[in-house]
Amino acid sequence: VTLHLNPISSVHIHQKPLVFVLNSPLPLVWKLKTERLAPGIQRVFFVSLGSVVQFEKGNFSLSAETEEKLFPEKNEHLLQWAQKEYGAVTSFTELKISRNIYIKVGE
């Protein structure tokens, strides 16, 4: 699955830390494609067991961290876990089948 990350239109270059929880019942390869995200900013990707994140060429991967986690099975419990861990969830999306996911990040 390719994850496309771009800042919202009012933000020229996104310069804040981000945390993503990428959960799947089957192990996946998450291919990351980014535009206008500042290098050197911490970005954390939590993935379900057996999954990996592949970064584009460049220095984005130097400031990114990937960690495998055993997530709760139900989406309600996953959302509660994320809220407890981070205090807030700004976006939650559930997809049954997808090859591309487009996410706008920003304020």
Side-chain angles (χ1 to χ4, degrees):
V1 175
T2 302
L3 185 61
H4 301 264
L5 303 177
N6 302 308
I8 58 176
S9 60
S10 62
V11 175
H12 182 64
I13 296 180
H14 189 270
Q15 301 189 41
K16 293 189 176 183
L18 295 168
V19 175
F20 291 91
V21 176
L22 305 172
N23 188 27
S24 172
L26 298 173
L28 285 178
V29 174
W30 296 92
K31 295 180 181 179
L32 202 61
K33 293 201 179 271
T34 64
E35 287 182 34
R36 300 183 356 251
L37 299 185
I41 306 294
Q42 182 186 28
R43 294 174 182 105
V44 180
F45 296 87
F46 290 107
V47 296
S48 45
L49 297 179
S51 293
V52 295
V53 177
Q54 289 182 348
F55 300 98
E56 294 177 292
K57 291 180 180 175
N59 61 2
F60 186 85
S61 63
L62 297 177
S63 58
E65 176 185 333
T66 302
E67 183 179 328
E68 284 185 66
K69 274 231 181 270
L70 178 60
F71 293 120
E73 284 188 36
K74 297 189 181 252
N75 282 337
E76 308 85 56
H77 298 143
L78 179 61
L79 187 56
Q80 289 170 355
W81 171 84
Q83 287 172 326
K84 182 181 171 191
E85 268 316 288
Y86 294 99
V89 173
T90 57
S91 177
F92 184 93
T93 304
E94 176 186 10
L95 302 166
K96 297 292 182 194
I97 298 174
S98 183
R99 290 178 188 235
N100 292 283
I101 300 171
Y102 296 85
I103 297 178
K104 297 279 188 185
V105 297
E107 300 292 327

